[in-house]
Amino acid sequence: MNWSKAKTILIIVFLIADIFLFYELYPSAIQSRNAIDDEKVQEVMEYLGNKGVFVNCTIPKASRPKKPLSVKYKSFDSQFALEKFFQNPQDISIHQYEDKTIIEDEEIYLEINKIGELTYKNKQLMGNQSETIDDEMALSNIEEFLKIIGIMNKDIYDCTKIKENGYLKMHCSQGYKGTFLDHSYLEINATNDGVAFMKMLWFEIEDNEKNKNDIIHPLRALIELPGLYEDYDGNIIVNDISLGYYFNTDMEEVREFDMTEVKEGKAVPVWRINANVGKIYINAYNGTVEKKQKIVQNISSMV
């Protein structure tokens, strides 16, 4: 073996490695790369400002590739309801309708919508409660109730809590690995004695997709705004932009409570832009618009 030649090759290999590590790790190199990124952001902000679009939030970092999700609305049947919510089968009445099933007795009212929306009422706990709420006890009641219907803490994306009329009220949405899953909701009211009211529309997720696709930078999504609102007479104020999943039901003109068919399909990654003109969902794969909320003008301001 020609050791001299081999030694020369090794020296070249190590030299290339040193140069790569220098540019990847040396602070000045990193600062230079960030300065370029900041410059691009500033250019886009100036462009948007000239178009009447102003961003009042932090721009998220670029995301790693993501895969679409196979989803369907979580459904409940009468047998499940009878086993989980009722104690005396002989006292129960069941009413079947075209779009829903109602099961109830003297204490519990349960409504199962065909799309999967579930409404629960404890008649004895409905109405204003005079007792002071114990937060820990009410939360414990909520957690136990959610376990019954198969919802865990990791399934919840965000949640707001308020105390009102003797109830601890929670409004939540579903999440998937730290991102939102749109078209889902959970409303629940609890007392020290149990859950009084619950309404939910939730997804079952099949994590069976293998192919991940690149996600566009959020700046690419923001650039779409001027073209989407060319006829809007006013500034567009962006208050938040976040990455999540959007499930298109193709029934945007129908109120959620009126939908009667179980829907399932693909939920795709989107950049959701919350602005003063509404919510805009931009496909995070290709930049197309998945949904744009209509602008509702304040009539009094137009007079």
Side-chain angles (χ1 to χ4, degrees):
M1 174 180 282
N2 189 334
W3 290 105
S4 178
K5 184 177 181 180
K7 182 178 179 181
T8 302
I9 294 174
L10 287 174
I11 290 173
I12 294 173
V13 169
F14 285 126
L15 179 61
I16 294 173
D18 287 341
I19 294 173
F20 173 79
L21 289 174
F22 172 82
Y23 281 106
E24 284 298 306
L25 301 178
Y26 194 67
S28 63
I30 294 175
Q31 290 171 4
S32 174
R33 186 164 60 238
N34 285 342
I36 295 175
D37 291 343
D38 291 341
E39 184 178 343
K40 290 180 180 178
V41 171
Q42 186 59 35
E43 289 177 359
V44 174
M45 293 300 101
E46 290 179 1
Y47 165 79
L48 291 174
N50 291 332
K51 296 290 185 178
V53 178
F54 300 93
V55 181
N56 287 345
C57 63
T58 302
I59 305 297
K61 296 180 179 179
S63 174
R64 294 179 179 179
K66 290 188 179 296
K67 55 189 175 183
L69 299 178
S70 297
V71 300
K72 65 178 180 179
Y73 282 119
K74 189 178 182 70
S75 60
F76 303 89
D77 57 25
S78 299
Q79 186 60 38
F80 175 89
L82 291 172
E83 292 176 357
K84 299 297 184 180
F85 301 109
F86 297 92
Q87 297 180 352
N88 299 314
Q90 65 274 13
D91 299 329
I92 296 170
S93 62
I94 302 177
H95 303 281
Q96 300 278 358
Y97 300 96
E98 183 179 352
D99 60 341
K100 62 187 175 184
T101 299
I102 294 177
I103 308 172
E104 64 179 322
D105 60 14
E106 292 184 355
E107 181 179 349
I108 303 299
Y109 172 91
L110 200 71
E111 182 178 314
I112 305 172
N113 189 291
K114 279 192 175 180
I115 196 177
E117 182 189 65
L118 179 67
T119 302
Y120 167 94
K121 296 178 183 178
N122 186 320
K123 300 175 185 178
Q124 296 180 348
L125 298 178
M126 295 296 290
N128 293 347
Q129 301 290 313
S130 58
E131 186 177 5
T132 302
I133 284 292
D134 183 313
D135 287 15
E136 186 174 345
M137 188 177 297
L139 282 172
S140 177
N141 291 332
I142 290 174
E143 289 176 1
E144 289 299 320
F145 188 90
L146 293 182
K147 285 180 183 179
I148 292 175
I149 55 179
I151 296 180
M152 311 303 291
N153 286 335
K154 66 179 181 62
D155 301 323
I156 295 176
Y157 174 71
D158 61 9
C159 210
T160 60
K161 303 182 183 74
I162 62 170
K163 290 182 181 180
E164 188 176 57
N165 298 328
Y167 294 105
L168 177 63
K169 297 184 176 183
M170 288 175 50
H171 296 261
C172 309
S173 62
Q174 189 173 0
Y176 176 77
K177 294 186 176 180
T179 58
F180 67 82
L181 184 51
D182 207 72
H183 280 178
S184 61
Y185 53 86
L186 170 67
E187 302 174 22
I188 189 164
N189 302 344
T191 71
N192 298 340
D193 297 320
V195 169
F197 170 85
M198 189 275 303
K199 179 178 285 187
M200 62 167 285
L201 189 63
W202 219 245
F203 287 105
E204 292 180 355
I205 302 172
E206 295 182 10
D207 192 359
N208 55 6
E209 295 288 338
K210 295 182 179 180
N211 296 326
K212 294 184 178 181
N213 300 314
D214 290 335
I215 299 298
I216 63 173
H217 196 281
L219 290 177
R220 169 71 175 79
L222 288 170
I223 288 176
E224 295 292 326
L225 292 181
L228 291 176
Y229 294 98
E230 289 180 328
D231 299 330
Y232 178 63
D233 185 17
N235 291 329
I236 299 173
I237 311 299
V238 176
N239 298 309
D240 179 71
I241 177 169
S242 54
L243 183 65
Y245 286 88
Y246 177 79
F247 177 52
N248 189 352
T249 63
D250 292 325
M251 299 180 72
E252 299 303 327
E253 300 302 322
V254 181
R255 291 189 303 113
E256 288 175 326
F257 294 1
D258 290 338
M259 293 188 287
T260 57
E261 296 181 6
V262 175
K263 292 290 182 178
E264 59 181 290
K266 298 292 184 183
V268 297
V270 293
W271 287 108
R272 182 177 67 189
I273 301 171
N274 285 333
N276 61 325
V277 292
K279 292 181 181 178
I280 305 96
Y281 297 81
I282 304 295
N283 189 300
Y285 288 150
N286 54 35
T288 59
V289 180
E290 292 289 336
K291 178 182 177 182
K292 181 186 76 168
Q293 286 187 343
K294 294 182 179 179
I295 300 173
V296 178
Q297 296 279 13
N298 188 335
I299 297 177
S300 62
S301 66
M302 298 172 62
V303 177

